[in-house]
Short mmCIF file of all heavy atoms in Angstrom, two decimals:
data_model
loop_
_atom_site.label_atom_id
_atom_site.label_comp_id
_atom_site.label_asym_id
_atom_site.label_seq_id
_atom_site.Cartn_x
_atom_site.Cartn_y
_atom_site.Cartn_z
N MET Z 1 -142.32 -235.36 96.79
CA MET Z 1 -143.54 -235.26 96.04
C MET Z 1 -144.54 -234.37 96.77
O MET Z 1 -145.13 -233.49 96.17
CB MET Z 1 -144.12 -236.65 95.84
CG MET Z 1 -145.41 -236.65 95.07
SD MET Z 1 -145.87 -238.31 94.66
CE MET Z 1 -147.49 -238.35 95.35
N PHE Z 2 -144.72 -234.58 98.06
CA PHE Z 2 -145.70 -233.81 98.81
C PHE Z 2 -145.22 -232.39 99.07
O PHE Z 2 -146.03 -231.50 99.28
CB PHE Z 2 -146.06 -234.50 100.12
CG PHE Z 2 -146.80 -235.78 99.91
CD1 PHE Z 2 -146.22 -236.99 100.20
CD2 PHE Z 2 -148.07 -235.78 99.39
CE1 PHE Z 2 -146.89 -238.17 99.99
CE2 PHE Z 2 -148.76 -236.95 99.17
CZ PHE Z 2 -148.17 -238.15 99.49
N PHE Z 3 -143.92 -232.18 99.08
CA PHE Z 3 -143.39 -230.84 99.31
C PHE Z 3 -143.90 -229.87 98.26
O PHE Z 3 -144.32 -228.77 98.57
CB PHE Z 3 -141.85 -230.87 99.29
CG PHE Z 3 -141.24 -229.51 99.42
CD1 PHE Z 3 -141.08 -228.94 100.66
CD2 PHE Z 3 -140.84 -228.79 98.30
CE1 PHE Z 3 -140.52 -227.68 100.78
CE2 PHE Z 3 -140.30 -227.54 98.41
CZ PHE Z 3 -140.14 -226.99 99.67
N GLU Z 4 -143.86 -230.30 97.02
CA GLU Z 4 -144.26 -229.40 95.94
C GLU Z 4 -145.76 -229.11 95.98
O GLU Z 4 -146.20 -228.01 95.68
CB GLU Z 4 -143.88 -230.00 94.58
CG GLU Z 4 -144.06 -229.01 93.46
CD GLU Z 4 -143.49 -229.52 92.16
OE1 GLU Z 4 -142.75 -230.52 92.15
OE2 GLU Z 4 -143.80 -228.91 91.13
N PHE Z 5 -146.57 -230.08 96.36
CA PHE Z 5 -148.02 -229.85 96.42
C PHE Z 5 -148.39 -228.89 97.54
O PHE Z 5 -149.26 -228.04 97.40
CB PHE Z 5 -148.78 -231.16 96.61
CG PHE Z 5 -148.76 -232.02 95.38
CD1 PHE Z 5 -148.32 -233.32 95.45
CD2 PHE Z 5 -149.19 -231.53 94.17
CE1 PHE Z 5 -148.30 -234.12 94.32
CE2 PHE Z 5 -149.18 -232.31 93.03
CZ PHE Z 5 -148.73 -233.61 93.11
N ARG Z 6 -147.73 -229.01 98.68
CA ARG Z 6 -148.04 -228.15 99.81
C ARG Z 6 -147.53 -226.73 99.60
O ARG Z 6 -148.14 -225.79 100.09
CB ARG Z 6 -147.41 -228.69 101.09
CG ARG Z 6 -148.10 -229.86 101.68
CD ARG Z 6 -147.45 -230.23 102.97
NE ARG Z 6 -146.07 -230.60 102.66
CZ ARG Z 6 -145.17 -230.97 103.54
NH1 ARG Z 6 -145.47 -231.00 104.79
NH2 ARG Z 6 -143.96 -231.29 103.18
N ASN Z 7 -146.43 -226.58 98.94
CA ASN Z 7 -145.74 -225.29 98.88
C ASN Z 7 -145.76 -224.65 97.51
O ASN Z 7 -145.03 -223.68 97.28
CB ASN Z 7 -144.30 -225.46 99.33
CG ASN Z 7 -144.23 -225.89 100.77
OD1 ASN Z 7 -144.88 -225.32 101.62
ND2 ASN Z 7 -143.46 -226.92 101.04
N ARG Z 8 -146.55 -225.12 96.60
CA ARG Z 8 -146.48 -224.57 95.24
C ARG Z 8 -147.02 -223.15 95.13
O ARG Z 8 -146.71 -222.46 94.19
CB ARG Z 8 -147.18 -225.49 94.25
CG ARG Z 8 -148.65 -225.60 94.45
CD ARG Z 8 -149.24 -226.55 93.47
NE ARG Z 8 -150.66 -226.65 93.70
CZ ARG Z 8 -151.45 -227.44 93.03
NH1 ARG Z 8 -150.95 -228.20 92.09
NH2 ARG Z 8 -152.72 -227.48 93.31
N ASN Z 9 -147.79 -222.67 96.10
CA ASN Z 9 -148.29 -221.30 96.07
C ASN Z 9 -147.44 -220.35 96.89
O ASN Z 9 -147.77 -219.17 97.00
CB ASN Z 9 -149.75 -221.25 96.54
CG ASN Z 9 -150.69 -221.78 95.50
OD1 ASN Z 9 -150.47 -221.60 94.31
ND2 ASN Z 9 -151.73 -222.46 95.93
N LYS Z 10 -146.37 -220.83 97.49
CA LYS Z 10 -145.46 -219.97 98.24
C LYS Z 10 -144.37 -219.46 97.31
O LYS Z 10 -144.01 -220.12 96.34
CB LYS Z 10 -144.84 -220.74 99.40
CG LYS Z 10 -145.84 -221.10 100.47
CD LYS Z 10 -145.17 -221.74 101.63
CE LYS Z 10 -146.18 -222.11 102.70
NZ LYS Z 10 -145.54 -222.71 103.86
N THR Z 11 -143.83 -218.30 97.64
CA THR Z 11 -142.77 -217.75 96.81
C THR Z 11 -141.45 -218.45 97.11
O THR Z 11 -141.28 -219.03 98.19
CB THR Z 11 -142.60 -216.24 97.04
OG1 THR Z 11 -142.22 -216.02 98.40
CG2 THR Z 11 -143.87 -215.48 96.72
N VAL Z 12 -140.55 -218.39 96.17
CA VAL Z 12 -139.23 -219.00 96.35
C VAL Z 12 -138.51 -218.31 97.50
O VAL Z 12 -137.82 -218.96 98.29
CB VAL Z 12 -138.42 -218.92 95.04
CG1 VAL Z 12 -137.00 -219.39 95.24
CG2 VAL Z 12 -139.10 -219.71 93.95
N LYS Z 13 -138.68 -217.00 97.62
CA LYS Z 13 -138.03 -216.27 98.70
C LYS Z 13 -138.49 -216.76 100.06
O LYS Z 13 -137.70 -216.94 100.98
CB LYS Z 13 -138.31 -214.77 98.56
CG LYS Z 13 -137.61 -213.93 99.60
CD LYS Z 13 -137.85 -212.47 99.35
CE LYS Z 13 -137.08 -211.63 100.36
NZ LYS Z 13 -137.23 -210.21 100.08
N GLU Z 14 -139.77 -217.00 100.21
CA GLU Z 14 -140.31 -217.49 101.48
C GLU Z 14 -139.77 -218.87 101.81
O GLU Z 14 -139.37 -219.13 102.96
CB GLU Z 14 -141.84 -217.52 101.38
CG GLU Z 14 -142.53 -217.90 102.66
CD GLU Z 14 -144.03 -217.90 102.51
OE1 GLU Z 14 -144.55 -217.40 101.49
OE2 GLU Z 14 -144.70 -218.40 103.44
N LEU Z 15 -139.72 -219.75 100.83
CA LEU Z 15 -139.18 -221.09 101.06
C LEU Z 15 -137.68 -221.05 101.35
O LEU Z 15 -137.19 -221.82 102.17
CB LEU Z 15 -139.46 -221.97 99.84
CG LEU Z 15 -140.94 -222.25 99.56
CD1 LEU Z 15 -141.09 -222.93 98.21
CD2 LEU Z 15 -141.54 -223.08 100.65
N ARG Z 16 -136.99 -220.15 100.68
CA ARG Z 16 -135.54 -219.99 100.91
C ARG Z 16 -135.28 -219.49 102.32
O ARG Z 16 -134.40 -219.99 103.03
CB ARG Z 16 -134.99 -219.02 99.87
CG ARG Z 16 -133.53 -218.73 99.98
CD ARG Z 16 -133.06 -217.87 98.84
NE ARG Z 16 -133.77 -216.62 98.66
CZ ARG Z 16 -133.54 -215.50 99.37
NH1 ARG Z 16 -132.63 -215.51 100.32
NH2 ARG Z 16 -134.22 -214.40 99.14
N LYS Z 17 -136.07 -218.52 102.77
CA LYS Z 17 -135.90 -217.98 104.12
C LYS Z 17 -136.27 -219.01 105.18
O LYS Z 17 -135.69 -219.01 106.27
CB LYS Z 17 -136.76 -216.72 104.30
CG LYS Z 17 -136.29 -215.55 103.49
CD LYS Z 17 -134.99 -215.03 104.00
CE LYS Z 17 -134.58 -213.80 103.22
NZ LYS Z 17 -133.37 -213.20 103.76
N ASN Z 18 -137.23 -219.89 104.89
CA ASN Z 18 -137.58 -220.95 105.84
C ASN Z 18 -136.41 -221.90 106.08
O ASN Z 18 -136.27 -222.44 107.18
CB ASN Z 18 -138.79 -221.74 105.35
CG ASN Z 18 -140.08 -220.97 105.47
OD1 ASN Z 18 -140.16 -219.98 106.18
ND2 ASN Z 18 -141.10 -221.42 104.76
N GLN Z 19 -135.58 -222.09 105.07
CA GLN Z 19 -134.40 -222.93 105.21
C GLN Z 19 -133.23 -222.16 105.81
O GLN Z 19 -132.22 -222.74 106.18
CB GLN Z 19 -133.98 -223.51 103.86
CG GLN Z 19 -134.91 -224.56 103.33
CD GLN Z 19 -134.92 -225.81 104.17
OE1 GLN Z 19 -133.91 -226.20 104.74
NE2 GLN Z 19 -136.07 -226.43 104.27
N GLY Z 20 -133.34 -220.83 105.89
CA GLY Z 20 -132.29 -220.02 106.49
C GLY Z 20 -131.17 -219.64 105.53
O GLY Z 20 -130.05 -219.39 105.96
N TYR Z 21 -131.46 -219.58 104.25
CA TYR Z 21 -130.45 -219.25 103.25
C TYR Z 21 -130.65 -217.85 102.70
O TYR Z 21 -131.77 -217.38 102.56
CB TYR Z 21 -130.53 -220.21 102.05
CG TYR Z 21 -129.99 -221.58 102.32
CD1 TYR Z 21 -130.77 -222.69 102.06
CD2 TYR Z 21 -128.71 -221.77 102.80
CE1 TYR Z 21 -130.28 -223.96 102.30
CE2 TYR Z 21 -128.22 -223.03 103.04
CZ TYR Z 21 -129.01 -224.12 102.79
OH TYR Z 21 -128.52 -225.37 103.01
N THR Z 22 -129.55 -217.23 102.34
CA THR Z 22 -129.60 -215.99 101.57
C THR Z 22 -129.52 -216.36 100.09
O THR Z 22 -129.21 -217.50 99.74
CB THR Z 22 -128.43 -215.06 101.92
OG1 THR Z 22 -127.21 -215.71 101.58
CG2 THR Z 22 -128.42 -214.71 103.40
N ALA Z 23 -129.80 -215.41 99.24
CA ALA Z 23 -129.75 -215.67 97.80
C ALA Z 23 -128.32 -216.01 97.37
O ALA Z 23 -128.10 -216.86 96.50
CB ALA Z 23 -130.26 -214.47 97.02
N LYS Z 24 -127.36 -215.39 98.01
CA LYS Z 24 -125.96 -215.65 97.68
C LYS Z 24 -125.56 -217.07 98.05
O LYS Z 24 -124.82 -217.72 97.30
CB LYS Z 24 -125.08 -214.64 98.41
CG LYS Z 24 -123.64 -214.66 98.01
CD LYS Z 24 -122.89 -213.53 98.65
CE LYS Z 24 -121.46 -213.51 98.17
NZ LYS Z 24 -120.71 -212.39 98.73
N GLU Z 25 -126.04 -217.57 99.18
CA GLU Z 25 -125.71 -218.93 99.59
C GLU Z 25 -126.32 -219.98 98.65
O GLU Z 25 -125.68 -220.97 98.31
CB GLU Z 25 -126.19 -219.19 101.02
CG GLU Z 25 -125.43 -218.42 102.07
CD GLU Z 25 -126.05 -218.51 103.43
OE1 GLU Z 25 -127.25 -218.83 103.54
OE2 GLU Z 25 -125.33 -218.24 104.41
N VAL Z 26 -127.56 -219.74 98.25
CA VAL Z 26 -128.21 -220.67 97.32
C VAL Z 26 -127.49 -220.66 95.97
O VAL Z 26 -127.25 -221.70 95.38
CB VAL Z 26 -129.71 -220.32 97.15
CG1 VAL Z 26 -130.34 -221.17 96.07
CG2 VAL Z 26 -130.44 -220.50 98.46
N ALA Z 27 -127.13 -219.48 95.52
CA ALA Z 27 -126.42 -219.36 94.25
C ALA Z 27 -125.06 -220.07 94.32
O ALA Z 27 -124.65 -220.73 93.36
CB ALA Z 27 -126.23 -217.90 93.89
N PHE Z 28 -124.39 -219.97 95.45
CA PHE Z 28 -123.10 -220.63 95.62
C PHE Z 28 -123.25 -222.15 95.58
O PHE Z 28 -122.46 -222.84 94.95
CB PHE Z 28 -122.45 -220.19 96.93
CG PHE Z 28 -121.12 -220.83 97.18
CD1 PHE Z 28 -120.00 -220.42 96.48
CD2 PHE Z 28 -120.99 -221.86 98.11
CE1 PHE Z 28 -118.77 -221.01 96.71
CE2 PHE Z 28 -119.78 -222.46 98.34
CZ PHE Z 28 -118.66 -222.04 97.64
N GLN Z 29 -124.29 -222.67 96.25
CA GLN Z 29 -124.50 -224.12 96.26
C GLN Z 29 -124.86 -224.66 94.88
O GLN Z 29 -124.48 -225.76 94.53
CB GLN Z 29 -125.61 -224.48 97.24
CG GLN Z 29 -125.20 -224.36 98.67
CD GLN Z 29 -126.29 -224.80 99.62
OE1 GLN Z 29 -127.42 -225.03 99.21
NE2 GLN Z 29 -125.95 -224.90 100.89
N LEU Z 30 -125.59 -223.86 94.11
CA LEU Z 30 -126.01 -224.30 92.78
C LEU Z 30 -125.03 -223.91 91.68
O LEU Z 30 -125.24 -224.25 90.52
CB LEU Z 30 -127.38 -223.70 92.44
CG LEU Z 30 -128.52 -224.14 93.34
CD1 LEU Z 30 -129.78 -223.39 92.99
CD2 LEU Z 30 -128.74 -225.63 93.22
N LYS Z 31 -123.98 -223.18 92.05
CA LYS Z 31 -122.97 -222.70 91.10
C LYS Z 31 -123.62 -221.84 90.01
O LYS Z 31 -123.38 -222.01 88.82
CB LYS Z 31 -122.21 -223.87 90.49
CG LYS Z 31 -121.41 -224.64 91.51
CD LYS Z 31 -120.69 -225.79 90.90
CE LYS Z 31 -119.89 -226.52 91.95
NZ LYS Z 31 -120.57 -227.71 92.44
N LEU Z 32 -124.47 -220.91 90.46
CA LEU Z 32 -125.14 -219.94 89.58
C LEU Z 32 -124.77 -218.54 90.04
O LEU Z 32 -124.15 -218.35 91.08
CB LEU Z 32 -126.66 -220.10 89.66
CG LEU Z 32 -127.25 -221.42 89.18
CD1 LEU Z 32 -128.72 -221.47 89.52
CD2 LEU Z 32 -127.06 -221.56 87.69
N ASP Z 33 -125.19 -217.55 89.27
CA ASP Z 33 -125.03 -216.16 89.68
C ASP Z 33 -126.15 -215.80 90.64
O ASP Z 33 -127.27 -216.34 90.56
CB ASP Z 33 -125.09 -215.23 88.47
CG ASP Z 33 -123.88 -215.40 87.57
OD1 ASP Z 33 -122.79 -215.73 88.10
OD2 ASP Z 33 -124.03 -215.19 86.36
N THR Z 34 -125.88 -214.87 91.53
CA THR Z 34 -126.88 -214.42 92.50
C THR Z 34 -128.07 -213.79 91.80
O THR Z 34 -129.21 -213.94 92.25
CB THR Z 34 -126.24 -213.41 93.48
OG1 THR Z 34 -125.06 -213.99 94.04
CG2 THR Z 34 -127.20 -213.06 94.59
N ILE Z 35 -127.83 -213.15 90.69
CA ILE Z 35 -128.92 -212.49 89.96
C ILE Z 35 -129.93 -213.50 89.44
O ILE Z 35 -131.13 -213.20 89.35
CB ILE Z 35 -128.36 -211.60 88.83
CG1 ILE Z 35 -129.42 -210.64 88.31
CG2 ILE Z 35 -127.81 -212.41 87.72
CD1 ILE Z 35 -129.79 -209.57 89.26
N ASP Z 36 -129.49 -214.73 89.12
CA ASP Z 36 -130.41 -215.77 88.67
C ASP Z 36 -131.39 -216.15 89.77
O ASP Z 36 -132.58 -216.35 89.52
CB ASP Z 36 -129.65 -217.02 88.21
CG ASP Z 36 -128.80 -216.76 86.99
OD1 ASP Z 36 -129.14 -215.84 86.22
OD2 ASP Z 36 -127.79 -217.47 86.81
N ILE Z 37 -130.89 -216.23 90.99
CA ILE Z 37 -131.76 -216.54 92.13
C ILE Z 37 -132.68 -215.37 92.43
O ILE Z 37 -133.86 -215.56 92.73
CB ILE Z 37 -130.91 -216.91 93.37
CG1 ILE Z 37 -129.98 -218.09 93.07
CG2 ILE Z 37 -131.80 -217.22 94.57
CD1 ILE Z 37 -130.69 -219.35 92.65
N MET Z 38 -132.17 -214.16 92.32
CA MET Z 38 -132.99 -212.99 92.59
C MET Z 38 -134.11 -212.84 91.56
O MET Z 38 -135.18 -212.33 91.88
CB MET Z 38 -132.13 -211.72 92.61
CG MET Z 38 -131.07 -211.69 93.68
SD MET Z 38 -131.74 -211.71 95.32
CE MET Z 38 -132.30 -210.05 95.46
N ASN Z 39 -133.89 -213.30 90.33
CA ASN Z 39 -134.92 -213.23 89.30
C ASN Z 39 -136.11 -214.14 89.60
O ASN Z 39 -137.25 -213.80 89.27
CB ASN Z 39 -134.35 -213.59 87.93
CG ASN Z 39 -133.49 -212.48 87.37
OD1 ASN Z 39 -133.61 -211.34 87.76
ND2 ASN Z 39 -132.60 -212.85 86.46
N ILE Z 40 -135.88 -215.27 90.24
CA ILE Z 40 -136.98 -216.19 90.54
C ILE Z 40 -137.51 -216.02 91.97
O ILE Z 40 -138.47 -216.68 92.35
CB ILE Z 40 -136.57 -217.65 90.31
CG1 ILE Z 40 -135.48 -218.08 91.26
CG2 ILE Z 40 -136.21 -217.89 88.87
CD1 ILE Z 40 -135.27 -219.58 91.30
N ASP Z 41 -136.90 -215.14 92.75
CA ASP Z 41 -137.27 -214.97 94.15
C ASP Z 41 -138.74 -214.60 94.35
O ASP Z 41 -139.37 -215.09 95.27
CB ASP Z 41 -136.39 -213.89 94.80
CG ASP Z 41 -135.59 -214.42 95.96
OD1 ASP Z 41 -135.70 -215.63 96.25
OD2 ASP Z 41 -134.86 -213.64 96.56
N LEU Z 42 -139.28 -213.75 93.53
CA LEU Z 42 -140.64 -213.28 93.73
C LEU Z 42 -141.68 -214.14 93.02
O LEU Z 42 -142.88 -213.88 93.12
CB LEU Z 42 -140.76 -211.82 93.28
CG LEU Z 42 -139.88 -210.85 94.07
CD1 LEU Z 42 -140.02 -209.45 93.52
CD2 LEU Z 42 -140.23 -210.88 95.54
N LEU Z 43 -141.22 -215.17 92.31
CA LEU Z 43 -142.15 -216.08 91.64
C LEU Z 43 -142.65 -217.14 92.61
O LEU Z 43 -141.94 -217.54 93.53
CB LEU Z 43 -141.46 -216.78 90.47
CG LEU Z 43 -140.98 -215.92 89.31
CD1 LEU Z 43 -140.25 -216.80 88.30
CD2 LEU Z 43 -142.16 -215.23 88.65
N LYS Z 44 -143.88 -217.59 92.40
CA LYS Z 44 -144.37 -218.73 93.15
C LYS Z 44 -143.68 -219.98 92.63
O LYS Z 44 -143.22 -220.01 91.49
CB LYS Z 44 -145.89 -218.85 93.00
CG LYS Z 44 -146.63 -217.73 93.66
CD LYS Z 44 -148.11 -217.92 93.53
CE LYS Z 44 -148.82 -216.78 94.24
NZ LYS Z 44 -150.28 -216.98 94.22
N LEU Z 45 -143.62 -221.00 93.45
CA LEU Z 45 -142.90 -222.21 93.08
C LEU Z 45 -143.47 -222.84 91.81
O LEU Z 45 -142.74 -223.34 90.97
CB LEU Z 45 -142.93 -223.22 94.22
CG LEU Z 45 -142.07 -224.46 94.06
CD1 LEU Z 45 -140.61 -224.08 93.88
CD2 LEU Z 45 -142.25 -225.38 95.23
N LYS Z 46 -144.78 -222.75 91.62
CA LYS Z 46 -145.37 -223.35 90.43
C LYS Z 46 -145.10 -222.53 89.17
O LYS Z 46 -145.26 -223.04 88.07
CB LYS Z 46 -146.88 -223.51 90.61
CG LYS Z 46 -147.65 -222.23 90.76
CD LYS Z 46 -149.12 -222.51 90.99
CE LYS Z 46 -149.90 -221.23 91.18
NZ LYS Z 46 -151.30 -221.51 91.47
N GLU Z 47 -144.64 -221.29 89.30
CA GLU Z 47 -144.35 -220.44 88.15
C GLU Z 47 -142.89 -220.47 87.73
O GLU Z 47 -142.53 -219.91 86.69
CB GLU Z 47 -144.73 -219.00 88.48
CG GLU Z 47 -146.22 -218.81 88.75
CD GLU Z 47 -146.55 -217.44 89.28
OE1 GLU Z 47 -145.62 -216.69 89.63
OE2 GLU Z 47 -147.74 -217.13 89.35
N VAL Z 48 -142.04 -221.11 88.51
CA VAL Z 48 -140.62 -221.18 88.19
C VAL Z 48 -140.44 -222.10 86.98
O VAL Z 48 -141.07 -223.15 86.89
CB VAL Z 48 -139.84 -221.73 89.40
CG1 VAL Z 48 -138.37 -221.89 89.08
CG2 VAL Z 48 -140.00 -220.82 90.60
N PRO Z 49 -139.59 -221.71 86.02
CA PRO Z 49 -139.35 -222.57 84.85
C PRO Z 49 -138.82 -223.94 85.28
O PRO Z 49 -138.05 -224.05 86.24
CB PRO Z 49 -138.28 -221.81 84.06
CG PRO Z 49 -138.33 -220.42 84.56
CD PRO Z 49 -138.84 -220.46 85.96
N PRO Z 50 -139.25 -224.99 84.59
CA PRO Z 50 -138.87 -226.36 85.00
C PRO Z 50 -137.37 -226.60 85.09
O PRO Z 50 -136.92 -227.34 85.96
CB PRO Z 50 -139.49 -227.23 83.90
CG PRO Z 50 -140.57 -226.42 83.31
CD PRO Z 50 -140.15 -224.98 83.45
N SER Z 51 -136.60 -225.98 84.23
CA SER Z 51 -135.15 -226.20 84.28
C SER Z 51 -134.55 -225.63 85.57
O SER Z 51 -133.66 -226.24 86.16
CB SER Z 51 -134.47 -225.56 83.07
OG SER Z 51 -134.72 -224.16 83.06
N MET Z 52 -135.06 -224.50 86.03
CA MET Z 52 -134.56 -223.90 87.26
C MET Z 52 -135.16 -224.61 88.48
O MET Z 52 -134.50 -224.77 89.50
CB MET Z 52 -134.91 -222.41 87.30
CG MET Z 52 -134.33 -221.68 88.48
SD MET Z 52 -132.53 -221.67 88.53
CE MET Z 52 -132.21 -220.31 87.46
N LYS Z 53 -136.41 -225.05 88.38
CA LYS Z 53 -137.06 -225.73 89.49
C LYS Z 53 -136.33 -227.02 89.83
O LYS Z 53 -136.18 -227.37 91.01
CB LYS Z 53 -138.51 -226.04 89.14
CG LYS Z 53 -139.31 -226.60 90.30
CD LYS Z 53 -140.68 -227.08 89.91
CE LYS Z 53 -141.57 -225.98 89.49
NZ LYS Z 53 -142.96 -226.44 89.27
N PHE Z 54 -135.86 -227.72 88.80
CA PHE Z 54 -135.12 -228.96 89.00
C PHE Z 54 -133.87 -228.73 89.84
O PHE Z 54 -133.49 -229.57 90.64
CB PHE Z 54 -134.76 -229.55 87.63
CG PHE Z 54 -133.94 -230.80 87.69
CD1 PHE Z 54 -134.50 -231.99 88.11
CD2 PHE Z 54 -132.60 -230.78 87.34
CE1 PHE Z 54 -133.74 -233.15 88.16
CE2 PHE Z 54 -131.84 -231.92 87.39
CZ PHE Z 54 -132.41 -233.12 87.80
N LYS Z 55 -133.23 -227.59 89.67
CA LYS Z 55 -132.01 -227.28 90.41
C LYS Z 55 -132.30 -226.78 91.83
O LYS Z 55 -131.61 -227.14 92.77
CB LYS Z 55 -131.21 -226.20 89.68
CG LYS Z 55 -130.66 -226.63 88.35
CD LYS Z 55 -129.96 -225.47 87.67
CE LYS Z 55 -129.51 -225.83 86.28
NZ LYS Z 55 -128.91 -224.69 85.59
N VAL Z 56 -133.33 -225.95 91.97
CA VAL Z 56 -133.58 -225.26 93.24
C VAL Z 56 -134.36 -226.10 94.24
O VAL Z 56 -134.18 -225.96 95.45
CB VAL Z 56 -134.31 -223.92 92.95
CG1 VAL Z 56 -134.76 -223.24 94.21
CG2 VAL Z 56 -133.42 -223.00 92.15
N LEU Z 57 -135.20 -226.98 93.76
CA LEU Z 57 -136.09 -227.73 94.64
C LEU Z 57 -135.37 -228.53 95.73
O LEU Z 57 -135.81 -228.51 96.88
CB LEU Z 57 -136.98 -228.64 93.80
CG LEU Z 57 -138.28 -229.09 94.43
CD1 LEU Z 57 -139.10 -227.91 94.90
CD2 LEU Z 57 -139.08 -229.93 93.47
N PRO Z 58 -134.27 -229.24 95.46
CA PRO Z 58 -133.59 -229.95 96.55
C PRO Z 58 -133.06 -229.03 97.65
O PRO Z 58 -133.08 -229.39 98.82
CB PRO Z 58 -132.42 -230.66 95.86
CG PRO Z 58 -132.84 -230.79 94.46
CD PRO Z 58 -133.68 -229.59 94.16
N ILE Z 59 -132.66 -227.83 97.30
CA ILE Z 59 -132.18 -226.87 98.29
C ILE Z 59 -133.34 -226.39 99.16
O ILE Z 59 -133.23 -226.32 100.38
CB ILE Z 59 -131.50 -225.66 97.60
CG1 ILE Z 59 -130.36 -226.11 96.71
CG2 ILE Z 59 -131.03 -224.65 98.63
CD1 ILE Z 59 -129.16 -226.64 97.41
N LEU Z 60 -134.46 -226.09 98.52
CA LEU Z 60 -135.62 -225.60 99.25
C LEU Z 60 -136.27 -226.68 100.11
O LEU Z 60 -136.89 -226.38 101.12
CB LEU Z 60 -136.65 -225.02 98.27
CG LEU Z 60 -136.19 -223.86 97.42
CD1 LEU Z 60 -137.30 -223.43 96.48
CD2 LEU Z 60 -135.75 -222.70 98.27
N ARG Z 61 -136.14 -227.92 99.69
CA ARG Z 61 -136.70 -229.04 100.44
C ARG Z 61 -135.85 -229.40 101.65
O ARG Z 61 -136.35 -229.95 102.61
CB ARG Z 61 -136.76 -230.28 99.54
CG ARG Z 61 -138.10 -230.61 99.06
CD ARG Z 61 -138.11 -231.97 98.42
NE ARG Z 61 -136.98 -232.16 97.52
CZ ARG Z 61 -137.06 -232.77 96.35
NH1 ARG Z 61 -138.19 -233.28 95.95
NH2 ARG Z 61 -136.01 -232.90 95.58
N GLY Z 62 -134.56 -229.11 101.58
CA GLY Z 62 -133.65 -229.47 102.68
C GLY Z 62 -133.07 -230.85 102.54
O GLY Z 62 -132.80 -231.52 103.53
N ASP Z 63 -132.85 -231.30 101.32
CA ASP Z 63 -132.30 -232.63 101.08
C ASP Z 63 -130.88 -232.78 101.62
O ASP Z 63 -130.43 -233.89 101.86
CB ASP Z 63 -132.30 -232.97 99.59
CG ASP Z 63 -133.70 -233.23 99.07
OD1 ASP Z 63 -134.63 -233.36 99.90
OD2 ASP Z 63 -133.87 -233.30 97.85
N TYR Z 64 -130.18 -231.69 101.82
CA TYR Z 64 -128.80 -231.76 102.32
C TYR Z 64 -128.78 -232.34 103.73
O TYR Z 64 -127.80 -232.90 104.17
CB TYR Z 64 -128.15 -230.37 102.32
CG TYR Z 64 -128.79 -229.42 103.30
CD1 TYR Z 64 -128.27 -229.26 104.56
CD2 TYR Z 64 -129.94 -228.70 102.98
CE1 TYR Z 64 -128.85 -228.41 105.48
CE2 TYR Z 64 -130.53 -227.85 103.87
CZ TYR Z 64 -129.98 -227.71 105.13
OH TYR Z 64 -130.57 -226.87 106.03
N MET Z 65 -129.88 -232.23 104.47
CA MET Z 65 -129.93 -232.75 105.84
C MET Z 65 -129.91 -234.27 105.87
O MET Z 65 -129.54 -234.87 106.88
CB MET Z 65 -131.20 -232.24 106.54
CG MET Z 65 -131.21 -230.77 106.80
SD MET Z 65 -129.89 -230.23 107.89
CE MET Z 65 -130.51 -230.77 109.46
N ASP Z 66 -130.28 -234.93 104.77
CA ASP Z 66 -130.28 -236.39 104.73
C ASP Z 66 -128.86 -236.96 104.69
O ASP Z 66 -128.66 -238.10 105.03
CB ASP Z 66 -131.04 -236.88 103.49
CG ASP Z 66 -132.51 -236.54 103.55
OD1 ASP Z 66 -133.02 -236.31 104.67
OD2 ASP Z 66 -133.15 -236.49 102.49
N LYS Z 67 -127.90 -236.15 104.29
CA LYS Z 67 -126.53 -236.64 104.12
C LYS Z 67 -125.65 -236.41 105.34
O LYS Z 67 -124.51 -236.82 105.36
CB LYS Z 67 -125.90 -235.96 102.91
CG LYS Z 67 -126.61 -236.30 101.62
CD LYS Z 67 -126.01 -235.60 100.45
CE LYS Z 67 -126.80 -235.93 99.19
NZ LYS Z 67 -126.30 -235.22 98.04
N ILE Z 68 -126.18 -235.78 106.39
CA ILE Z 68 -125.39 -235.50 107.59
C ILE Z 68 -125.37 -236.78 108.45
O ILE Z 68 -126.42 -237.30 108.82
CB ILE Z 68 -125.99 -234.33 108.39
CG1 ILE Z 68 -125.92 -233.06 107.56
CG2 ILE Z 68 -125.27 -234.16 109.72
CD1 ILE Z 68 -126.56 -231.86 108.20
N PRO Z 69 -124.17 -237.28 108.78
CA PRO Z 69 -124.09 -238.50 109.59
C PRO Z 69 -124.27 -238.20 111.08
O PRO Z 69 -123.36 -237.80 111.77
CB PRO Z 69 -122.67 -239.01 109.31
CG PRO Z 69 -121.90 -237.78 109.00
CD PRO Z 69 -122.87 -236.83 108.33
N TRP Z 70 -125.46 -238.40 111.58
CA TRP Z 70 -125.72 -238.13 113.01
C TRP Z 70 -125.24 -239.26 113.81
O TRP Z 70 -125.40 -240.19 114.15
CB TRP Z 70 -127.20 -237.87 113.25
CG TRP Z 70 -127.66 -236.64 112.57
CD1 TRP Z 70 -128.43 -236.58 111.45
CD2 TRP Z 70 -127.38 -235.28 112.90
NE1 TRP Z 70 -128.65 -235.28 111.08
CE2 TRP Z 70 -128.02 -234.45 111.96
CE3 TRP Z 70 -126.66 -234.66 113.89
CZ2 TRP Z 70 -127.97 -233.07 111.99
CZ3 TRP Z 70 -126.61 -233.30 113.91
CH2 TRP Z 70 -127.25 -232.51 112.98
#
């Protein structure tokens, strides 16, 4: 919840780079084409269409780290 409020004015590309992902890696994880990720790369998080935001937000938040058994 707080992730979106703090980062809604940042671009998707900036958030993606903070996690250390390329557009191709994000597209592979989401099972989308790379061009779909490149289309939203320059948009701010609050401008991304809700259907795409629902898919991309867990990747940008780093939810995959919760599933690693330390």
Side-chain angles (χ1 to χ4, degrees):
M1 179 171 125
F2 293 111
F3 176 83
E4 190 171 347
F5 288 126
R6 284 184 298 179
N7 297 312
R8 66 182 179 182
N9 286 325
K10 292 185 180 181
T11 62
V12 174
K13 183 176 183 176
E14 184 179 349
L15 295 171
R16 179 174 55 81
K17 291 291 184 176
N18 287 344
Q19 289 294 326
Y21 286 126
T22 62
K24 189 173 183 177
E25 291 171 340
V26 173
F28 180 75
Q29 287 183 351
L30 297 175
K31 296 179 179 99
L32 296 172
D33 292 329
T34 307
I35 195 70
D36 295 334
I37 302 301
M38 298 297 284
N39 286 338
I40 65 166
D41 240 0
L42 298 177
L43 296 176
K44 292 183 179 184
L45 188 59
K46 64 182 178 183
E47 297 171 350
V48 177
S51 60
M52 185 63 83
K53 187 188 293 187
F54 177 72
K55 294 177 185 176
V56 173
L57 202 55
I59 303 290
L60 300 178
R61 255 191 314 220
D63 288 349
Y64 67 95
M65 293 298 284
D66 294 339
K67 296 179 183 177
I68 296 176
W70 296 106

